Amino acid sequence: MALNLDLAGKEWEGPGRRWTSTDAILYALGVGAGAEDPLTELPFTTENSHDVSQQVLPTFAVMIGGTGGSMPPLGDFDIAQVLHAEQSITLHGALPPEGSTVTRSRVAAFYDKGPNAIAVLESTIMDAASGKVLAESSTGTFIRGEGGFGGDRGSAAAWERPAREPDHVVSYRTRPDQALLYRLSGDRNPLHSDPWLAEKAGFDRPILHGLCTFGFTGRALLHTACESDPEVFGTMSARFASPVFPGQELTVALWDEGDTWLFQTAVAGKVVLDRGTFTRRTV
């Protein structure tokens, strides 16, 4: 079995990532900020505009955790068999335009999905200087062909699409080169740039990073549910349901349920980001 099942429950701590103001801006551009109107999101896309203080998109949290230091690989499987299954982040406040982190990570579980497997990695991301917790994340990785080891199948949290029409609908068109731009923030998985690997994984051409779709959707939540204020952006979680190709239009449907927002992101009516849940942070 290629999975390193002995890692389950173990923890590692090590350097996360150091980032600059430019890195935060590059990430914002990579998830579409300012693409339709360069004047609308200047706090996230510039650092020296008149009377505009730089801010950081909350979903940049997925980029600042690093790899948990000395954590061994989850296994020796083919990278072409790996897909992002689900993601959640919890922010403890607005992220600074520059900084460095220390990350404590653990393999929370390996789930046996019959012929396939899901590995769940949980991380706590802390400011390297002060030790203050900046964010927490949970990442589910789908690994084709690595199931059948007799483990727990896992369970899904209850989620149901509301019967009414969405309270808000936000649409963003991605660029044909969106994946090439997004990968500059640090996710260099060649599945999103190399036609050879994309074909090997069963795709006609490279697909968009799931976390890029997550970032586009996070912008919709920030501007709709948080009045564009990163300080009140709390917890965002979703499951990746279908691949997105660069150049396609993302349509985010949002339902305001009071304390919680529900959301789905679709392309041409097909859900690509599902079971979305968002809660604001109390300041």
Side-chain angles (χ1 to χ4, degrees):
M1 182 61 63
L3 285 178
N4 190 353
L5 298 175
D6 291 339
L7 295 180
K10 294 185 177 179
E11 293 188 358
W12 292 265
E13 183 174 311
R17 176 178 174 178
R18 181 182 300 275
W19 72 96
T20 66
S21 164
T22 299
D23 294 324
I25 291 171
L26 185 60
Y27 172 81
L29 298 175
V31 296
E36 296 179 10
D37 182 351
L39 303 184
T40 57
E41 295 179 272
L42 288 177
F44 305 101
T45 58
T46 65
E47 81 292 349
N48 58 358
S49 295
H50 179 67
D51 282 344
V52 177
S53 297
Q54 184 179 355
Q55 296 179 293
V56 179
L57 290 178
T59 51
F60 186 54
V62 302
M63 288 293 180
I64 64 172
T67 60
S70 58
M71 188 181 76
L74 297 175
D76 59 0
F77 37 80
D78 188 341
I79 191 174
Q81 305 307 310
V82 176
L83 291 171
H84 207 147
E86 51 196 7
Q87 182 69 45
S88 73
I89 56 172
T90 297
L91 277 293
H92 288 245
L95 297 174
E98 58 185 33
S100 61
T101 59
V102 171
T103 301
R104 182 182 303 118
S105 299
R106 76 182 189 101
V107 179
F110 288 104
Y111 293 122
D112 190 341
K113 298 294 186 178
N116 308 306
I118 290 181
V120 179
L121 178 68
E122 296 178 346
S123 298
T124 300
I125 304 164
M126 300 162 286
D127 179 78
S130 68
K132 176 186 175 183
V133 175
L134 300 177
E136 294 159 322
S137 71
S138 176
T139 302
T141 302
F142 183 84
I143 310 163
R144 291 184 287 196
E146 295 299 333
F149 53 87
D152 183 7
R153 284 189 57 84
S155 59
W159 194 97
E160 184 176 353
R161 178 186 170 107
R164 70 180 189 279
E165 290 296 308
D167 297 306
H168 304 272
V169 176
V170 180
S171 293
Y172 297 124
R173 179 166 293 279
T174 65
R175 297 161 45 125
D177 61 351
Q178 198 75 57
L180 298 180
L181 180 58
Y182 182 82
R183 72 190 297 269
L184 298 179
S185 286
D187 189 341
R188 300 298 180 99
N189 184 341
L191 177 64
H192 308 292
S193 56
D194 185 346
W196 174 84
L197 185 61
E199 182 178 3
K200 187 177 179 182
F203 301 108
D204 293 336
R205 55 195 174 97
I207 61 175
L208 191 63
H209 304 71
L211 285 179
C212 186
T213 300
F214 190 84
F216 269 86
T217 303
R219 283 176 51 228
L221 287 163
L222 174 67
H223 297 313
T224 305
C226 302
E227 299 82 41
S228 303
D229 183 0
E231 279 288 352
V232 299
F233 193 102
T235 297
M236 174 184 176
S237 66
R239 178 175 296 178
F240 300 100
S242 188
V244 175
F245 291 94
Q248 292 183 315
E249 184 175 64
L250 302 171
T251 300
V252 186
L254 304 110
W255 292 268
D256 183 352
E257 299 286 279
D259 293 338
T260 301
W261 289 66
L262 303 180
F263 63 89
Q264 285 181 322
T265 302
V267 170
K270 183 177 184 179
V271 175
V272 297
L273 197 62
D274 201 7
R275 303 176 68 86
T277 302
F278 175 78
T279 54
R280 286 171 54 110
R281 176 175 170 266
T282 301
V283 178

